[in-house]
Amino acid sequence: PRLAEFSEGSDAASKNIEGAISLMELNHNDLGSRLYWLEHDMRLRPHEPWGIENNILVHSSVPERKQVTLDGIPRPATRVSTAGGTYEGVIRASIAPDRLGIACGREAGPMGIYIQEHALRRLAERIDCVTTGTRDLSLCCSFVNPRYHRQADGTLLIDFMFFESKAGYLVAEATGGDLVIRTFLFLTNGGTPEGNRLRNLCEMGRADIDVLSIDRLSTFMATDFRADRRLESMFVEAGCGSLLELREKSGAFNTRRDMESALPMLVKYFGLDSKGDFMMPDTVERFRRKFDEAREPGPFSKVIRGS
């Protein structure tokens, strides 16, 4: 019995350590600076006091960077990568051209996937309530089974998948034997099929999107859009229903839980309240300031590991 109890306790401790290691990697991995992965080794202590000791070796690597040419201008870009003990180091993303409908010769190899600094900034601004490691891991996973749409000018809109729900598009093009991500568009941004439908459906312009802060994930994490059926139906009809799923799917990873719900503002703004009146400009400005303040970096928020 004592041996069984020791074994169960050891297994539980090992799982807790693995969870802590995954948290550290998700919290600190950052394509903009460094990638980390941790090795855990558990063994019997060869000296007194007898027992088990845990050794954790921390590895780090600077993400691969290079100059890519876009519109005839050299621009800095970073190789899309992730790292972790689960992957035993750094995994650099690549993809066969034909998986994105790109014509190539028979001997053409996989394309390296790079993201320019502008796109990294846009990704951070719009997927704004999770750790950098969680965001970068989602970026890599979006290319495992990629979904894409080709625009008239030849550029690609590649679905950015976040917890298996579409949250936006990676605007990319093939150049110099690589795939380069030019920018990131949140699902409600202009230039996306869903964003254009939402604007037409609700008769909104870019200023409305900015004021309502519906071009950022944090608003959808803080707000239960399904609490108002009319509001929910508007976003579902526009094709933005996947954003409404994320509150339940990834709420445990939300690092900005102090944000207030935008539901009262949205209901009034769209004239869906019982009085049918729109918000006055000064009231909108007050809500906008409140949301801006909530986005200021605050104390570290603990992120729990998903199953």
Side-chain angles (χ1 to χ4, degrees):
R2 289 184 178 180
L3 183 59
E5 290 176 5
F6 175 81
S7 179
E8 290 178 5
S10 177
D11 289 343
S14 180
K15 289 180 181 178
N16 287 337
I17 291 172
E18 289 174 4
I21 287 174
S22 294
L23 269 179
M24 291 177 68
E25 292 168 346
L26 284 176
N27 286 341
H28 297 288
N29 276 339
D30 186 353
L31 276 177
S33 56
R34 298 189 76 87
L35 299 175
Y36 298 90
W37 69 100
L38 284 68
E39 284 187 84
H40 172 220
D41 177 42
M42 187 168 64
R43 58 192 174 191
L44 291 173
R45 188 181 294 118
H47 52 75
E48 293 187 5
W50 309 114
I52 293 177
E53 63 181 17
N54 293 281
N55 298 295
I56 296 176
L57 182 61
V58 179
H59 303 267
S60 73
S61 175
V62 176
E64 178 189 335
R65 295 188 174 91
K66 66 184 291 186
Q67 293 285 325
V68 298
T69 301
L70 296 171
D71 304 321
I73 302 172
R75 304 174 191 270
T78 301
R79 182 74 177 264
V80 173
S81 310
T82 190
T86 304
Y87 314 110
E88 299 182 351
V90 176
I91 298 295
R92 296 174 178 84
S94 61
I95 192 166
D98 58 1
R99 296 194 67 196
L100 295 173
I102 299 172
C104 58
R106 290 185 178 180
E107 298 183 4
M111 300 183 296
I113 303 173
Y114 290 83
I115 182 167
Q116 69 165 333
E117 292 182 0
H118 166 80
L120 272 177
R121 289 195 299 271
R122 290 291 178 265
L123 192 62
E125 289 170 2
R126 293 162 179 169
I127 307 297
D128 61 337
C129 56
V130 295
T131 63
T132 53
T134 303
R135 187 169 54 235
D136 294 344
L137 179 59
S138 298
L139 175 61
C140 286
C141 290
S142 297
F143 290 94
V144 174
N145 293 300
R147 305 172 188 173
Y148 67 92
H149 321 265
R150 187 170 295 281
Q151 300 191 104
D153 62 359
T155 58
L156 293 167
L157 292 181
I158 300 169
D159 292 6
F160 175 78
M161 303 301 294
F162 190 71
F163 286 84
E164 299 183 345
S165 290
K166 183 163 65 173
Y169 293 98
L170 303 163
V171 183
E173 66 177 75
T175 178
D178 297 313
L179 184 75
V180 179
I181 301 169
R182 299 181 65 111
T183 193
F184 169 72
L185 297 174
F186 195 67
L187 203 61
T188 58
N189 283 139
T192 71
E194 295 84 356
N196 293 338
R197 283 199 296 270
L198 185 64
R199 280 166 164 74
N200 293 333
L201 184 65
C202 303
E203 298 182 353
M204 290 190 298
R206 181 174 179 177
D208 298 284
I209 300 291
D210 291 341
V211 166
L212 296 172
S213 297
I214 54 176
D215 58 348
R216 298 168 188 257
L217 182 61
S218 56
T219 300
F220 291 85
M221 298 292 275
T223 305
D224 184 5
F225 281 69
R226 292 173 171 170
D228 188 287
R229 291 185 178 180
R230 296 160 300 176
L231 186 65
E232 177 188 12
S233 65
M234 282 169 44
F235 279 80
V236 170
E237 185 177 346
C240 299
S242 58
L243 294 176
L244 311 188
E245 303 170 355
L246 285 172
R247 191 166 185 264
E248 297 176 3
K249 283 186 174 183
S250 58
F253 289 81
N254 182 12
T255 59
R256 294 186 175 176
R257 300 183 189 180
D258 57 341
M259 282 185 62
E260 293 186 25
S261 170
L263 189 64
M265 174 176 65
L266 292 168
V267 168
K268 284 183 175 291
Y269 196 90
F270 291 120
L272 301 176
D273 62 331
S274 57
K275 297 179 182 179
D277 58 332
F278 287 83
M279 297 183 73
M280 298 301 292
D282 60 334
T283 313
V284 174
E285 178 63 19
R286 180 167 54 82
F287 271 95
R288 186 190 65 76
R289 285 199 302 270
K290 183 181 292 186
F291 267 69
D292 286 344
E293 290 169 0
R295 287 201 183 90
E296 291 298 319
F300 174 77
S301 298
K302 186 177 181 181
V303 181
I304 64 174
R305 189 183 185 211
S307 58

